[in-house]
Amino acid sequence: MKKIKYFYNTNTLRYEKLETPLRVKLLRVLGFISAAIVTAIIIVSIAYRYFPSARERELVADNVELQQQFEVLEERTKKITQRMTELEKRDNEVYRTIFEADPIPDSVRAKEIAQQKETQLVMKMANYQLENSIVETINNLTNRISSQERSYNEIAEFVKNKEQMLVSTPAIQPVSNSDLKRVASGFGYRIDPVYKTVKLHNGLDFAAPQGTPIYATANGTVRVAANTGTGYGNHVVINHGYGYETLYGHMFRIKVKAGQKVLRGEIIGWVGSTGKSTGPHCHYEVHKNGRHLDPVYFFYNDLTPEQYDRLLKMAASSNQSFD
C-alpha cells in the first residue's frame, strides 16, 4: 500500500495531502539515471585500467615482444652499417688509391643513406612504421653492398695488370708482430710524450726491444738512410714508386744505403731509440703523393681478418705516442 504523506498548511490551518509535481519527479529520475551512468563509467574505466582482460594482457605481451625484436634487429642493422662504412672507407682511401682510381661517391653507393635514430623511436612508432623503417635501412645496405661488390670486381681487374704495383705497395708490418702486442700508438691525434700536448701522430709506433729487425714493407729504392736531425733519429725512407714512400724511424743501426734497391721483407735496420724518442720502438709512416696515410690499412698481406680487426681496435685507442 502506497504511503500517503501530509503537510500542515499554515495558510488554511489544515493538513493537506502532499503531492509531488510531475516535473520534479522527472528531474529526480533523470538525476538518478545520470548518477548511475557516471558511476558505471568510472567503475568500467577503473576495471579496464587496473584489471585488463586476458586478451588485452596477451596483446600487451605480444607488443612488448615485438618491440624487443625490433630493437635486436635494429642493433644488428647498425653493426652491419658500421662494417659497410669501414669497407667503403678502405675502398676509397686505400684500394682505389692503390690503383689510382677515382673514389666512389656516396650518392652512387646508395640513393638515399638516411641517418635515423630508430632505436630511440621504437617505443613511439606504430608497427607499420617500424617495419617501413627497417625495410628502408635494409634496402640502403643492399644498395651499398651491391655497389661495393662492383667496386671490388673492378679492383680485381686492376690487379691482373698491376702485379708490379702490388709488390711496390706497402703490405706488411715493419717488425715481426704475429701476436699483435707491439702496436703502442696509432695514427691520429695523440699526446706528445715530451711536450704533453695533443699533436698529430703521422704513423704507427711498434714497441720492440732494441736490436729487433726492421723490414722493408714493399719493393723500392732507399732515398734516405741517415740521421738528418728531423727528430726521427737514424731513419730510412724508401721510395716505392707509384707515389708511395715509407719511413722507418729511431733505428739503433741502419743496414741499407741511399740508392740501394730493397725487396719486401728485407732487413733494412734494427729497432732503437735515437732522435726524439722515449723508448725503443719503430715509428712507421706511409706516404702517398706526399700525403700521410694511416699505415694500419697496409698490413693486409700478413694478417687474418680476425687479426686485422684486433689491430684496428688497438691502433684506434687514444694513448701517448713514443715520439
Side-chain angles (χ1 to χ4, degrees):
M1 182 177 178
K2 184 178 180 181
K3 188 176 181 180
I4 299 175
K5 295 182 179 181
Y6 293 88
F7 75 99
Y8 183 75
N9 190 334
T10 56
N11 293 325
T12 62
L13 302 177
R14 296 176 57 184
Y15 286 97
E16 297 179 359
K17 187 177 179 179
L18 180 63
E19 295 183 356
T20 303
L22 179 61
R23 181 175 62 83
V24 175
K25 291 180 178 181
L26 290 176
L27 289 175
R28 288 177 179 176
V29 171
L30 290 175
F32 175 78
I33 293 174
S34 299
I37 292 174
V38 171
T39 303
I41 291 174
I42 293 173
I43 293 174
V44 171
S45 300
I46 293 175
Y48 271 106
R49 181 174 180 82
Y50 297 102
F51 305 100
S53 65
R55 178 58 178 167
E56 289 176 330
R57 289 195 295 270
E58 182 180 348
L59 289 174
V60 169
D62 290 344
N63 189 41
V64 170
E65 184 177 355
L66 282 174
Q67 290 172 350
Q68 292 174 346
Q69 291 175 354
F70 279 126
E71 289 175 355
V72 172
L73 182 59
E74 170 63 19
E75 185 63 28
R76 293 180 61 187
T77 304
K78 186 183 297 184
K79 291 181 179 179
I80 294 174
T81 302
Q82 291 174 347
R83 295 296 297 273
M84 272 304 305
T85 301
E86 179 62 30
L87 284 174
E88 290 167 357
K89 181 179 179 181
R90 289 168 62 184
D91 184 31
N92 273 345
E93 296 188 2
V94 181
Y95 301 139
R96 300 188 71 82
T97 300
I98 289 173
F99 299 105
E100 299 177 350
D102 293 332
I104 298 178
D106 288 341
S107 58
V108 176
R109 296 185 187 277
K111 295 180 180 178
E112 188 176 347
I113 302 176
Q115 300 297 326
Q116 302 173 359
K117 296 182 179 179
E118 293 161 358
T119 303
Q120 300 176 1
L121 301 177
V122 164
M123 301 299 293
K124 301 179 181 179
M125 296 173 68
N127 287 348
Y128 75 92
Q129 291 175 309
L130 286 168
E131 292 170 1
N132 292 339
S133 178
I134 296 296
V135 168
E136 182 180 356
T137 302
I138 292 175
N139 287 339
N140 284 334
L141 285 173
T142 302
N143 291 335
R144 294 169 70 179
I145 291 172
S146 298
S147 177
Q148 200 62 55
E149 288 177 349
R150 290 194 298 270
S151 176
Y152 285 147
N153 290 337
E154 183 180 352
I155 290 173
E157 293 298 320
F158 293 153
V159 171
K160 296 178 182 179
N161 302 318
K162 295 198 175 183
E163 292 183 1
Q164 182 59 39
M165 178 183 285
L166 289 177
V167 297
S168 300
T169 301
I172 64 173
Q173 299 176 89
V175 297
S176 179
N177 188 33
S178 58
D179 57 2
L180 305 183
K181 293 182 178 180
R182 288 182 168 172
V183 175
S185 182
F187 180 91
Y189 285 93
R190 297 291 186 271
I191 300 174
D192 187 284
V194 176
Y195 304 110
K196 302 301 180 182
T197 58
V198 177
K199 296 178 64 178
L200 179 62
H201 190 238
N202 289 319
L204 277 177
D205 288 341
F206 291 85
Q210 182 166 301
T212 301
I214 298 175
Y215 305 96
T217 57
N219 296 0
T221 302
V222 177
R223 185 172 67 83
V224 177
N227 187 341
T228 59
T230 56
Y232 292 114
N234 295 329
H235 67 284
V236 171
V237 177
I238 301 176
N239 185 346
H240 303 283
Y242 306 99
Y244 281 100
E245 282 193 346
T246 51
L247 182 149
Y248 313 76
H250 312 295
M251 292 183 177
F252 168 70
R253 187 160 63 90
I254 299 173
K255 182 182 179 183
V256 295
K257 297 180 180 180
Q260 179 179 338
K261 293 187 179 299
V262 294
L263 299 177
R264 176 183 292 156
E266 182 177 342
I267 296 177
I268 59 175
W270 293 269
V271 170
S273 185
T274 57
K276 181 175 171 287
S277 171
T278 57
H281 74 287
C282 173
H283 175 84
Y284 176 63
E285 295 183 5
V286 176
H287 308 156
K288 171 69 172 178
N289 295 325
R291 184 167 65 95
H292 291 85
L293 302 180
D294 191 341
V296 77
Y297 295 125
F298 294 87
F299 300 147
Y300 38 82
N301 267 23
D302 59 353
L303 292 176
T304 65
E306 292 76 14
Q307 288 176 319
Y308 182 77
D309 285 340
R310 284 177 55 198
L311 192 63
L312 276 178
K313 294 176 182 177
M314 295 168 63
S317 62
S318 298
N319 53 12
Q320 180 173 285
S321 63
F322 270 59
D323 45 40

